[in-house]
Amino acid sequence: RMIARIAMLFSLVAVVLVNQSLSQDATNGKIIGSVIDSETGEPIIGANVFLEETFFGGATDIEGKFSISVPPGSYALIVSVVSYAKQRITDVEVQAGQVVKIDITLVPASVELNEVVVTAKLMENREATTLIVRQRAVAVSDAISTEMIAQAGSSNAADAMTKVTGASVVGGKYVYIRGLGERYSNTHLNGSELPSADPDKKSFQMDLLPTNILDNIVTIKSFTPDKPGNFSGGIVDIGTASYPEKFTLKFSTSQSYNATTSWNSNFLTYKGGAQDWLGFDDGTRRLPDVLNDPNLSIPNVQAARSNPELAAQLDLLSKSFNPQMSAVRSTAPINQKYSLSLGDQTSLFGGSLGVLGSMSYARDYSFYENGTVGRWKLTGHVDQTDALAKLMELSDTKGTDEAQWGGLFTLNYKAGQNHEFGGNYVHTQSGESVSRYMVGRWPEQLFGENEFFETRVLQYTERNLNSYQLRGKHFFNSFLNTTIEWSATKSRSLQDEPDARFFSDNYAHQTIAGNDTTVYSVAPGLYPRPARYFRNLTEDNSVLTLELSIPVQQWVGLPGKMKFGTSFNEKDREFTERRFEYWQATGTRYNGDPESFFSNSNIGIIGYDSVTNRYIFGNYIANPADARGGDYDGYEKVIAYFGMAEIPLFSTFRIIAGARYEETRMNVSGKDTVGKLNDHDLLPSVNMVYQLSDNMNLRASYGKTLARPNFREKAPYASYSFAGDFTFLGNINLKRTLIHNYDLRWEWFARPGEIYAVSAFYKNFKNPIERVINVQYASEGGEVLFDNVDRARVYGLEFELRNRLDILHDMLSNLTAGMNLTLIRSEVDIPEGELLVTRAVDPNASAVRPLQGQSPYLLNAYLAYDNFASGTSVAAFFNTFGDRLAEVSLGGTPDVYEESRPSLDLNASQKIFDHWTIRGSVKNLLNSKYRLSHTYKGSEYVRAEYSTGVTFSVGVSYSID
């Protein structure tokens, strides 16, 4: 129904827009752009923009934007406004039906009284606007524009973030800024925080947002009081496309072949539902109706054996599930992607209405076999043990089938020059089916050389996000020239895991009566019983913001600004989990065939003993004692007030200072206990910008921020990882982390679209939240929980350059090179109890360790060729990171690190005819392995390893703009 509604909406909008487009005079062209203050980067409202020696012109609106429809020709554009030097842009070439975009910075008259003359050709760089905004920003920030995203061939926001300075993406979803974990970052959509659809993490899963709905991504790295205080690494603000200046229609499709997955007949999968291709489960995996009652009591098998009514009920309940508990082999098709967007603007009630809609769809398959999973432990004193003991080593095979689609619908209405209203609706949907099989030795529990352990997973995860946003911006020149901005956002995220199935067994090769045979066993004393999980997370998020900006003049007349505001953020989460286990009656044996073992003939009642008058059961289901122990509700409310001032002490030096006050209340309630937060925090901030020259800045900043625990970390229940790993335990006593942040940056915007920058940063954490070991359970099946450790420190350097290579030779004018490098060091004080356990086997063990997920370095580099005349674009992108701490190990066993994994992507596109472009790419050209390992006395011990293969893609796009 959702797809039908969106398709109908698209059809209606398309008809209206196409008719509107056909009715317009196609003989004219259009000049559009924005006018901003060269000192502050603020839009200039009411600037006069006109074409010399003509009657064509207009004035900038509340966003500093203008639009002029003119006949084809060559013009000189004049921009003037009181208190600024007039600017004249020559050689503005306009063609019929085409749009020329020019962004202009005006110099305050107190700085420069003469007319400024430039040529339009200097303003054609596509990245220039993004860098102009960054140059004048009050905070330390980085950005990537939609043009760079397209050039990189990124398919979603997470992929695009790998090109941003100091950013890395973990698990294909979670963004780490400056090497800090996802808890220290915040993801916003058009300025409003996005909720998480992951029950275990705070961070929004950025792979949910396809790139065709994006306009830009800005990463804010230093704190200002008008931003939420719960970050330290950075705020990632995703801007969606908003206001088309003319009719636009874009369609693209691509097909990709993965060398490891596509057309591989060994692809691991299982039978799902008829709507899996849409990212929905159609009910195939839903909880059987007979088990829907949460208060249902499953009969005890002992009572059911001699009670016909209870026996029939237990038989019915046990047979109500889909019997498939093991994956099958199939052939994986190639991957597919489609996207469509269209938009236009029209006059309405004397104002301008902009309409934009977009949709995208992708179906991706991934697969690996011959992966490795290992478990290792230091079993003796470090001085007497030369190697880690092997607890488990398994061969790993995994197949993933994901369908993902998303839609954006945006309306923006400009009611004259001084008022603008906007709204957007974003929906994203994904369904991921995972099939996994692991088999191998488990010498810790199965001692014989011919004994093996095998385990299987069938799992489906459905995620979606619905976000509704209304916003407005208003300028009141009669009331101190005040600008008021407001927004109201309502969003809901969902993660549903219906019928996740886990089944483990062990087998041994034996000789019985002279015959070689394999004996299978299900031994729940060694590992969990076969089980099925039904998990559901729903999180609602409401955000209201109000900001007032009042321009002021300091003592010598230089322009400044005062800004005040408030915000309200409310989150409400409900998480439910039901678990059902398969038990086996005495004498029930597993023969190595999961299909037979879980078939109806072996489930529930399988016979009747007429001698004892008792029913005979095979596999039957039971509710474990903690079947609903994972249920919890989370509520968080944050009310904030802020005030800040942007004051130029003199023409080349600005100071931006203020404070934010946040009141936080959080409750996380489980079955019997409640975790609470009740905090009141004053968060001061100072940012200073010294303009060394017209295009060179020196920045320094200090800000106090915080990081709150997420709901899962405070939820009072334990969850067990199926493959013999740790038990994760919530901690109701977690406190929020306080962070002092210091930044220093030199930046030189040499030419439009070019930058050189060097940054240094230092962060001091009080009560950082870390994944630690419960030392009372420091064994193979130990408990891992989140706890506040005493202190942590992070410091580092960032280097960035982006340059057109015509500085070397004119023949290289179409080549651009870019690079950013981040060097980081972090230290966390290890808790005393955990350190005592470690030093019992290694007396020289360090008292500090890196922050979990922190990389010692991050490197992104690219080389791009763009020939606008021929429509040719070719680019190569390289990305890598230093080994980062993935898991804290038990006792003296070395910690687990994710090893460096360099990546190289190649992308090319060529325009053909007037509106068509063909594209090709090669992703993951190096096919580097994902690898987790321990290192002990110079030797590596693999915890996990696999590679996903090289992907070749070809596509075509059609565009009217």
Side-chain angles (χ1 to χ4, degrees):
R1 279 182 284 177
M2 176 68 71
I3 293 177
R5 290 173 185 170
I6 293 178
M8 186 179 299
L9 179 62
F10 254 82
S11 300
L12 178 62
V13 172
V15 171
V16 173
L17 295 184
V18 171
N19 288 336
Q20 173 71 19
S21 174
L22 293 175
S23 67
Q24 291 176 348
D25 184 2
T27 62
N28 279 357
K30 189 177 286 187
I31 303 172
I32 65 171
S34 59
V35 181
I36 63 174
D37 188 306
S38 66
E39 297 293 320
T40 66
E42 294 290 324
I44 298 175
I45 304 170
N48 296 308
V49 184
F50 62 93
L51 301 183
E52 193 174 52
E53 299 179 354
T54 76
F55 295 103
F56 299 108
T60 56
D61 61 19
I62 194 170
E63 298 286 349
K65 295 179 180 178
F66 65 90
S67 177
I68 308 171
S69 180
V70 297
S74 179
Y75 299 94
L77 190 70
I78 308 297
V79 184
S80 66
V81 67
V82 176
S83 300
Y84 290 88
K86 181 187 294 185
Q87 187 163 146
R88 185 171 183 265
I89 299 100
T90 64
D91 299 332
V92 181
E93 301 287 344
V94 181
Q95 298 180 8
Q98 299 296 311
V99 173
V100 178
K101 189 173 189 295
I102 298 177
D103 294 311
I104 302 156
T105 58
L106 294 187
V107 181
S110 59
V111 177
E112 176 61 69
L113 294 175
N114 298 324
E115 179 179 275
V116 179
V117 181
V118 295
T119 64
K121 295 185 184 299
L122 294 177
M123 301 181 178
E124 292 179 349
N125 187 284
R126 296 178 296 175
E127 282 286 287
T129 303
T130 300
L131 290 181
I132 288 172
V133 174
R134 173 176 162 181
Q135 180 181 355
R136 304 307 178 190
V138 298
V140 176
S141 64
D142 296 303
I144 182 171
S145 68
T146 184
E147 290 86 4
M148 178 63 76
I149 292 171
Q151 189 179 62
S154 300
S155 60
N156 57 59
D159 192 16
M161 282 300 298
T162 62
K163 314 300 185 291
V164 175
T165 304
S168 59
V169 178
V170 177
K173 297 178 175 66
Y174 304 106
V175 174
Y176 286 26
I177 304 296
R178 289 175 165 175
L180 296 171
E182 79 277 345
R183 78 168 63 255
Y184 299 109
S185 299
N186 230 329
T187 305
H188 290 193
L189 183 69
N190 297 319
S192 293
E193 184 177 354
L194 285 168
S196 173
D198 189 316
D200 295 337
K201 298 180 184 292
K202 166 204 169 189
S203 182
F204 177 75
Q205 297 159 313
M206 292 190 65
D207 64 321
L208 282 174
L209 295 176
T211 52
N212 77 309
I213 73 171
L214 307 183
D215 185 57
N216 58 68
I217 304 176
V218 177
T219 303
I220 301 167
K221 296 181 176 179
S222 67
F223 173 60
T224 54
D226 56 340
K227 303 299 181 185
N230 60 328
F231 80 96
S232 180
I235 290 178
V236 179
D237 193 3
I238 301 167
T240 55
S242 58
Y243 200 86
E245 296 295 339
K246 53 175 283 190
F247 175 75
T248 63
L249 171 65
K250 297 180 181 180
F251 172 77
S252 67
T253 179
S254 66
Q255 313 288 311
S256 60
Y257 169 84
N258 180 275
T260 300
T261 305
S262 303
W263 300 327
N264 188 330
S265 59
N266 287 324
F267 182 73
L268 213 58
T269 185
Y270 76 102
K271 183 176 176 57
Q275 294 183 359
D276 282 9
W277 69 280
L278 291 174
F280 294 102
D281 177 63
D282 64 355
T284 300
R285 304 174 181 88
R286 72 170 177 241
L287 184 67
D289 292 339
V290 294
L291 289 164
N292 244 330
D293 183 359
N295 298 313
L296 172 72
S297 177
I298 297 176
N300 180 282
V301 69
Q302 299 299 332
R305 285 193 177 115
S306 55
N307 184 314
E309 183 178 342
L310 294 179
Q313 184 182 10
L314 182 57
D315 180 68
L316 174 66
L317 297 177
S318 298
K319 290 178 177 175
S320 64
F321 290 106
N322 182 319
Q324 185 174 9
M325 290 288 287
S326 182
V328 297
R329 301 284 181 172
S330 182
T331 300
I334 60 175
N335 300 327
Q336 308 171 59
K337 286 185 173 63
Y338 305 90
S339 68
L340 170 69
S341 64
L342 53 91
D344 201 358
Q345 66 161 292
T346 186
S347 298
L348 182 67
F349 305 129
S352 297
L353 176 68
V355 183
L356 180 69
S358 66
M359 286 192 71
S360 66
Y361 174 83
R363 187 76 182 271
D364 290 303
Y365 300 85
S366 63
F367 176 68
Y368 65 81
E369 51 188 341
N370 299 321
T372 301
V373 171
R375 299 294 179 262
W376 307 86
K377 183 180 180 181
L378 180 63
T379 56
H381 195 279
V382 68
D383 293 333
Q384 301 168 349
T385 305
D386 294 327
L388 299 182
K390 181 193 296 184
L391 304 180
M392 176 186 290
E393 190 168 33
L394 308 177
S395 174
D396 185 13
T397 304
K398 182 179 179 182
T400 302
D401 171 6
E402 182 176 21
Q404 181 171 308
W405 59 274
L408 164 72
F409 184 73
T410 296
L411 286 172
N412 282 280
Y413 181 67
K414 294 181 180 179
Q417 294 181 4
N418 297 339
H419 302 279
E420 181 175 340
F421 301 88
N424 61 46
Y425 167 66
V426 176
H427 176 83
T428 63
Q429 178 76 37
S430 76
E432 181 183 66
S433 175
V434 174
S435 304
R436 193 175 184 186
Y437 172 70
M438 293 185 288
V439 61
R441 292 291 323 286
W442 189 6
E444 180 202 16
Q445 297 289 349
L446 304 174
F447 308 114
E449 287 293 327
N450 294 320
E451 292 186 88
F452 298 88
F453 169 74
E454 57 183 353
T455 185
R456 305 162 183 83
V457 182
L458 303 179
Q459 193 168 16
Y460 186 80
T461 303
E462 180 181 329
R463 297 178 289 158
N464 70 43
L465 167 70
N466 284 285
S467 176
Y468 307 83
Q469 185 179 69
L470 294 175
R471 59 187 181 275
K473 188 173 184 179
H474 313 276
F475 176 68
F476 300 94
N477 52 13
S478 60
F479 183 63
L480 303 175
N481 290 325
T482 298
T483 299
I484 297 177
E485 294 185 66
W486 58 270
S487 69
T489 304
K490 180 73 174 178
S491 59
R492 166 171 284 194
S493 63
L494 167 75
Q495 177 163 303
D496 190 21
E497 293 181 64
D499 203 5
R501 309 165 208 180
F502 305 101
F503 172 44
S504 301
D505 68 88
N506 59 279
Y507 63 90
H509 298 303
Q510 298 178 359
T511 301
I512 301 177
N515 297 317
D516 293 335
T517 187
T518 302
V519 177
Y520 292 86
S521 175
V522 175
L526 299 179
Y527 39 80
R529 296 178 182 275
R532 311 179 83 120
Y533 288 78
F534 295 81
R535 301 183 179 115
N536 181 271
L537 177 146
T538 302
E539 182 168 307
D540 292 302
N541 196 5
S542 301
V543 182
L544 298 172
T545 64
L546 177 66
E547 297 181 357
L548 283 76
S549 299
I550 304 173
V552 296
Q553 290 187 335
Q554 51 85 285
W555 45 92
V556 296
L558 294 174
K561 183 172 64 174
M562 304 290 290
K563 195 172 184 181
F564 307 92
T566 182
S567 69
F568 172 86
N569 192 330
E570 185 177 56
K571 296 179 184 178
D572 200 346
R573 173 184 288 190
E574 180 182 4
F575 178 78
T576 61
E577 176 183 279
R578 294 191 68 182
R579 176 161 60 100
F580 302 91
E581 293 181 344
Y582 283 101
W583 286 57
Q584 291 76 45
T586 303
T588 303
R589 300 207 50 92
Y590 172 54
N591 64 359
D593 182 1
E595 184 176 354
S596 170
F597 189 59
F598 292 101
S599 67
N600 277 350
S601 62
N602 202 35
I603 296 288
I605 298 173
I606 61 173
Y608 184 77
D609 187 341
S610 58
V611 176
T612 61
N613 294 323
R614 292 165 64 89
Y615 291 94
I616 302 171
F617 282 84
N619 288 306
Y620 60 92
I621 65 165
N623 264 328
D626 58 345
R628 297 191 64 86
D631 292 6
Y632 70 90
D633 294 319
Y635 176 81
E636 180 183 82
K637 180 173 69 175
V638 179
I639 300 174
Y641 310 90
F642 76 86
M644 58 186 288
E646 181 181 346
I647 302 296
L649 298 185
F650 45 92
S651 61
T652 57
F653 184 73
R654 286 185 292 154
I655 184 168
I656 304 96
R660 184 180 185 91
Y661 176 74
E662 293 191 350
E663 298 179 4
T664 305
R665 182 165 69 87
M666 177 191 285
N667 289 327
V668 185
S669 56
K671 182 178 180 181
D672 302 311
T673 54
V674 179
K676 295 184 177 182
L677 279 183
N678 190 6
D679 295 319
H680 304 264
D681 295 293
L682 183 64
L683 307 173
S685 165
V686 178
N687 283 261
M688 293 174 286
V689 184
Y690 179 56
Q691 189 174 342
L692 298 170
S693 67
D694 288 343
N695 58 2
M696 188 182 298
N697 292 329
L698 182 65
R699 297 177 178 271
S701 71
Y702 162 77
K704 182 181 178 182
T705 59
L706 53 85
R708 301 181 183 95
N710 66 43
F711 289 131
R712 172 61 186 96
E713 291 165 350
K714 285 184 73 72
Y717 86 99
S719 58
Y720 182 73
S721 179
F722 79 99
D725 287 333
F726 308 115
T727 297
F728 289 88
L729 185 66
N731 181 359
I732 63 173
N733 298 313
L734 276 181
K735 297 177 286 188
R736 52 93 170 91
T737 303
L738 294 176
I739 309 120
H740 297 274
N741 307 272
Y742 304 86
D743 284 89
L744 183 66
R745 172 178 284 186
W746 169 83
E747 53 190 13
W748 177 28
F749 301 85
R751 293 185 295 174
E754 296 184 347
I755 185 174
Y756 303 88
V758 179
S759 307
F761 58 90
Y762 174 78
K763 300 176 183 294
N764 193 312
F765 298 74
K766 180 182 179 182
N767 296 323
I769 300 169
E770 277 287 284
R771 182 176 181 270
V772 300
I773 306 301
N774 185 340
V775 295
Q776 297 181 25
Y777 297 91
S779 63
E780 298 79 52
E783 286 185 344
V784 171
L785 55 90
F786 291 91
D787 203 357
N788 294 105
V789 297
D790 187 33
R791 293 281 180 180
R793 299 153 294 280
V794 176
Y795 47 94
L797 296 172
E798 291 176 334
F799 304 89
E800 180 184 10
L801 66 87
R802 191 184 308 174
N803 228 107
R804 295 199 308 273
L805 297 187
D806 58 356
I807 61 171
L808 302 177
H809 195 281
D810 289 343
M811 293 180 61
L812 303 177
S813 60
N814 292 326
L815 281 173
T816 302
M819 182 276 293
N820 58 73
L821 171 67
T822 304
L823 305 175
I824 314 166
R825 182 175 176 83
S826 67
E827 296 177 344
V828 175
D829 297 335
I830 298 175
E832 183 178 353
E834 185 181 335
L835 186 61
L836 287 172
V837 172
T838 301
R839 286 185 169 171
V841 295
D842 184 4
N844 298 317
S846 174
V848 298
R849 63 167 174 252
L851 274 169
Q852 187 182 1
Q854 178 269 322
S855 298
Y857 66 85
L858 303 165
L859 173 64
N860 296 297
Y862 75 92
L863 179 65
Y865 172 82
D866 270 310
N867 189 320
F868 296 104
S870 66
T872 305
S873 177
V874 181
F877 289 85
F878 176 81
N879 168 268
T880 191
F881 57 86
D883 296 354
R884 56 194 176 204
L885 177 62
E887 298 177 5
V888 177
S889 291
L890 303 171
T893 304
D895 291 335
V896 178
Y897 278 78
E898 180 182 351
E899 296 184 14
S900 176
R901 191 168 66 255
S903 172
L904 178 63
D905 297 340
L906 303 178
N907 303 288
S909 66
Q910 176 63 58
K911 288 188 176 180
I912 54 176
F913 310 118
D914 289 335
H915 302 290
W916 293 90
T917 301
I918 55 174
R919 304 179 186 276
S921 70
V922 183
K923 297 276 190 177
N924 193 29
L925 186 62
L926 303 178
N927 195 22
S928 301
K929 290 184 177 181
Y930 174 85
R931 185 181 174 96
L932 301 179
S933 66
H934 310 263
T935 299
Y936 181 70
K937 293 190 175 181
S939 297
E940 276 193 341
Y941 300 84
V942 175
R943 182 170 176 84
E945 181 180 75
Y946 62 86
S947 58
T948 55
V950 182
T951 299
F952 304 87
S953 176
V954 62
V956 62
S957 63
Y958 177 82
S959 174
I960 299 176
D961 55 16

